Amino acid sequence: LQVDLWQPSSPFHIIEGTVTDVRVPRNTSRSLLPYLQHANIQYTILIADLQKAIENQTGLRTHRNRRSVSGYNYEVYHTLEEIQDWMHHLNRTHPDLVHLFSVGTSYEGRPLFVLKLGKRSRPYKKAVWIDCGIHAREWIGPAFCQWFVKEALQTYQTDPAMRKMLTQLYFYIMPVFNVDGYHFSWTNDRFWRKTRSKNTRFRCHGVDANRNWKVKWCDEGASFHPCDDTYCGPFPESEPEVRAVAHFLRKHRKQIKAYLSFHAYAQMLLYPYSYKYATIPNFGCVESAAYNAVNALQSAYGIRYRHGPASSTLYVSSGSSMDWAYKSGIPYAFAFELRDTGHFGFLLPETLIKPTCTETMLAVTNITLHLLRKCH
């Protein structure tokens, strides 16, 4: 739970017995520490200078050529413009495996680009949907989506597993779901989470795009207040980004057999349900896929992910994309919470992009190959 100390609503989000991350203005940190000690509140300083850490991620643009698409660096974070330029470049240079299209436009009018990845081997193929960046500040998500495409294109000729995946399946990959919010997290507020739609009654912007889906909408784990980070919106699919993706998934739900959404942070692999404590009908198949996936992930660097139903493994939340996908008939629906467990949080250093993406690649490959085997 991320709390800004200077926001009036912050104390209401602090629950006894839980760990709370607090962002403190630089000039008040010294005066706060004696208070915490006096109140016998245990604390750990994770990042001594948060502003400097933010500037290290966003302010090094002059020192390296991020914009060169031909020599694209997958081990740094990229702006929305750079990611979209990269997508256009792949569409031009890999016509045999890549097809770029848009499912709609965002609230601020940006295209919602998706890459269709796979060999055009036969007219009808099953498909896997992958989206990243539904929450703007979770930059490691879009970094992984780009890494997945890179790996697919680079290893298609040499890796039998990748060749099988791209021959037998299509992958629909949306590197940045929440394009307006992601752009805003680069230009204005590194910790922005929501979309950027305007509210007529309040000055607060945005809706939590992972609470806006039409599945137990705005129940437990979501907020009706437009200023809250988990605001569910005025009605289900109120956000054009959510509406566009939901329309695409509904249209292709007979083809799409797996839905994978990438978030951060917590090091978890979650599956339905998120909105209630209940066992899904195909629990055996899904649990087996998750168990094998986290073991494959751990084999790379020893990083252990917890896995299980989202409600009991993380927390109860309503209106999520994963639950909606599953309830819409997509049998394998997963949400990854990537590195780390809170030390760096949303500010995961660029040095950790490669190991995070490398291990996650193993998990995704494992789930995909599981999907190709019939599980009863």
Side-chain angles (χ1 to χ4, degrees):
L1 180 62
Q2 190 88 22
V3 179
D4 292 317
L5 198 66
W6 57 87
Q7 288 182 355
S9 60
S10 299
F12 299 107
H13 298 294
I14 300 175
I15 302 167
E16 187 175 355
T18 63
V19 176
T20 302
D21 294 341
V22 183
R23 298 201 296 266
V24 184
R26 187 180 293 154
N27 57 355
T28 63
S29 58
R30 289 183 179 178
S31 60
L32 176 69
L33 298 185
Y35 167 78
L36 294 175
Q37 291 164 348
H38 180 74
N40 200 27
I41 297 173
Q42 292 182 316
Y43 66 89
T44 304
I45 298 173
L46 297 177
I47 302 175
D49 192 332
L50 189 61
Q51 185 61 36
K52 187 175 180 181
I54 293 170
E55 289 167 359
N56 284 343
Q57 285 190 356
T58 58
L60 297 176
R61 301 173 56 76
T62 54
H63 298 295
R64 58 189 172 209
N65 187 4
R66 292 174 184 262
R67 297 296 303 277
S68 172
V69 183
S70 56
Y72 199 74
N73 188 351
Y74 293 88
E75 295 182 39
V76 299
Y77 295 118
H78 289 276
T79 65
L80 180 67
E81 183 187 7
E82 290 163 4
I83 294 171
Q84 291 185 340
D85 285 349
W86 166 81
M87 294 172 82
H88 283 289
H89 175 76
L90 292 185
N91 190 52
R92 289 192 305 270
T93 55
H94 295 80
D96 55 329
L97 288 173
V98 175
H99 170 62
L100 175 67
F101 64 98
S102 172
V103 294
T105 53
S106 69
Y107 180 85
E108 294 180 342
R110 295 182 174 88
L112 301 171
F113 284 130
V114 174
L115 288 172
K116 183 181 182 182
L117 186 64
K119 194 74 178 169
R120 295 176 182 86
S121 50
R122 50 181 180 267
Y124 176 85
K125 293 202 297 182
K126 294 177 183 178
V128 174
W129 172 276
I130 296 176
D131 65 51
C132 299
I134 205 167
H135 290 142
R137 62 196 177 191
E138 298 167 10
W139 287 8
I140 187 60
F144 172 73
C145 264
Q146 294 168 83
W147 189 277
F148 179 88
V149 175
K150 168 190 78 83
E151 285 294 302
L153 296 177
Q154 288 181 356
T155 65
Y156 170 71
Q157 297 289 351
T158 56
D159 180 17
M162 185 59 72
R163 177 177 283 273
K164 181 179 181 180
M165 286 159 55
L166 295 185
T167 302
Q168 297 189 24
L169 295 165
Y170 282 124
F171 289 86
Y172 293 108
I173 299 161
M174 191 177 198
V176 187
F177 185 114
N178 179 7
V179 288
D180 297 345
Y182 185 75
H183 176 75
F184 191 77
S185 74
W186 273 87
T187 58
N188 291 76
D189 180 357
R190 176 62 183 84
F191 293 100
W192 187 257
R193 169 183 168 99
K194 300 187 286 182
T195 62
R196 291 296 299 162
S197 54
K198 291 178 183 174
N199 189 284
T200 52
R201 290 183 55 227
F202 294 84
R203 288 186 177 180
C204 303
H205 284 253
V207 166
D208 185 340
N210 205 35
R211 300 292 186 277
N212 192 234
W213 298 73
K214 198 172 184 178
V215 54
K216 212 71 175 176
W217 175 78
C218 223
D219 207 311
E220 188 174 350
S223 170
F224 274 114
H225 199 289
C227 296
D228 286 346
D229 262 356
T230 55
Y231 175 46
C232 59
F235 53 87
E237 295 182 24
S238 64
E239 304 312 282
E241 300 86 353
V242 173
R243 189 162 60 248
V245 173
H247 175 74
F248 180 85
L249 293 175
R250 272 193 293 263
K251 189 177 175 182
H252 296 85
R253 63 180 153 197
K254 289 185 178 178
Q255 177 195 20
I256 296 172
K257 301 301 177 184
Y259 172 91
L260 307 179
S261 189
F262 289 85
H263 298 253
Y265 54 93
Q267 293 176 194
M268 294 178 180
L269 176 52
L270 309 171
Y271 52 80
Y273 296 105
S274 190
Y275 72 90
K276 65 178 179 179
Y277 298 106
T279 303
I280 54 176
N282 63 336
F283 171 79
C285 288
V286 172
E287 163 62 23
S288 172
Y291 175 81
N292 291 328
V294 297
N295 283 338
L297 186 149
Q298 188 179 8
S299 70
Y301 301 100
I303 299 297
R304 187 67 192 165
Y305 271 47
R306 291 170 59 201
H307 74 283
S311 54
S312 55
T313 310
L314 186 57
Y315 48 63
V316 174
S317 64
S318 56
S320 73
S321 65
M322 178 186 69
D323 278 353
W324 182 91
Y326 185 77
K327 297 284 271 186
S328 297
I330 299 174
Y332 289 88
F334 293 100
F336 280 80
E337 294 284 351
L338 300 178
R339 293 200 200 186
D340 58 5
T341 54
H343 183 90
F344 295 110
F346 303 118
L347 290 177
L348 194 72
E350 290 179 327
T351 53
L352 294 179
I353 291 176
K354 182 178 181 179
T356 301
C357 291
T358 300
E359 67 193 9
T360 307
M361 198 72 202
L362 296 175
V364 173
T365 301
N366 205 279
I367 288 173
T368 306
L369 294 175
H370 181 98
L371 171 70
L372 289 171
R373 295 189 296 270
K374 293 215 181 282
C375 181
H376 301 285

